[in-house]
Amino acid sequence: MKKLNLLTLILFAITIFSCSQSNEKTHSHGDDTHSHSQTQETFSIEKLVDEVKTVPDSIIEYLHTQHHSHKVLERRTVPPGYESKELKNWSEYVAKVEDLPAINPGPGEYVHVMEGYKHGYQNLVIGITETFPGGAPPMHTHKGEESHVLLEGTILYALGDTLFTIEAPYIVNIPPMVPHAFKNIGEKTANLVVIFPTNVWEYDVLDYFPFEEKE
């Protein structure tokens, strides 16, 4: 009987260990619960924050009508943080990704945001996105131009009225106020770097999502 009980315990332990090592994982981050095979966060999202969302005023709405026909739902920014670094020591010139605030703009997408005014830059914002397969941000615009840089992965883009698929490595030029979004249609997590010539992270979400029933 003791041998039988020991064997049962061993088999039970092996089963639990195997389940914990499974490639298929389901978990939640804030309001987003999802499962993804063989994908994990490349960077910690312990500093996940809620975006600041404001209702667009008449000036914002008028600006958008000059560029496209979509309605503006809200403007999103990152919560204000610490004062700009004085850059006296080498460590103040370095921003480690895991120390940056992370946001969750859309299902399956997380962005670590480096705002220039918090890090001694005059005109630079960089976001490092973590987009799981099937993940996508909402359709949105920026007041200034933007550049997307991806070294590995396959992405479906919506740029204005155009849908196109592109495989990395690439750099995409996104002009000011052009509605855009992207969706990771590959099988692995895509770490896309976005670059803005400004020092504050800001974007306007539109009432249109271009990827429904499209691949």
Side-chain angles (χ1 to χ4, degrees):
M1 181 64 68
K2 289 184 179 180
K3 289 184 179 180
L4 180 59
N5 289 339
L6 180 60
L7 179 59
T8 301
L9 288 174
I10 292 174
L11 291 174
F12 178 74
I14 291 175
T15 301
I16 295 298
F17 179 78
S18 298
C19 290
S20 69
Q21 298 299 310
S22 172
N23 287 331
E24 185 69 26
K25 301 178 181 180
T26 300
H27 50 236
S28 62
H29 305 295
D31 296 330
D32 177 29
T33 300
H34 60 273
S35 63
H36 40 85
S37 178
Q38 296 183 341
T39 56
Q40 289 181 287
E41 292 83 7
T42 306
F43 311 107
S44 169
I45 56 172
E46 289 186 2
K47 295 188 179 296
L48 187 66
V49 298
D50 292 327
E51 296 176 278
V52 178
K53 303 176 181 179
T54 57
V55 177
D57 57 25
S58 59
I59 297 176
I60 294 174
E61 291 178 343
Y62 177 77
L63 175 63
H64 280 270
T65 61
Q66 309 306 303
H67 298 274
H68 59 82
S69 60
H70 306 301
K71 181 181 179 181
V72 188
L73 296 179
E74 60 191 13
R75 172 161 289 181
R76 295 184 184 180
T77 57
V78 175
Y82 49 86
E83 296 180 359
S84 181
K85 297 178 180 179
E86 297 183 7
L87 305 182
K88 292 182 178 180
N89 185 278
W90 71 266
S91 62
E92 295 174 326
Y93 285 82
V94 177
K96 299 191 70 174
V97 176
E98 59 265 28
D99 294 332
L100 299 173
I103 58 175
N104 179 208
E109 190 205 24
Y110 299 89
V111 186
H112 288 75
V113 179
M114 194 288 299
E115 291 189 286
Y117 83 94
K118 299 175 183 177
H119 295 271
Y121 291 94
Q122 298 300 313
N123 293 290
L124 186 64
V125 167
I126 295 177
I128 299 179
T129 76
E130 187 95 65
T131 308
F132 297 121
M139 195 74 160
H140 63 281
T141 66
H142 305 278
K143 287 187 291 187
E145 60 187 353
E146 177 185 12
S147 179
H148 285 189
V149 182
L150 185 66
L151 299 181
E152 182 179 6
T154 304
I155 303 295
L156 172 62
Y157 269 92
L159 188 58
D161 296 327
T162 303
L163 283 174
F164 62 93
T165 299
I166 185 169
E167 187 172 342
Y170 66 71
I171 299 174
V172 172
N173 178 354
I174 301 174
M177 294 303 296
V178 172
H180 61 280
F182 62 89
K183 180 178 180 180
N184 181 2
I185 59 174
E187 297 180 352
K188 297 180 180 180
T189 298
N191 295 121
L192 181 76
V193 178
V194 299
I195 304 169
F196 306 91
T198 179
N199 65 359
V200 176
W201 178 274
E202 178 183 272
Y203 65 101
D204 294 336
V205 176
L206 308 179
D207 66 343
Y208 171 64
F209 188 66
F211 303 132
E212 294 177 349
E213 299 182 358
K214 294 184 177 68
E215 292 295 338

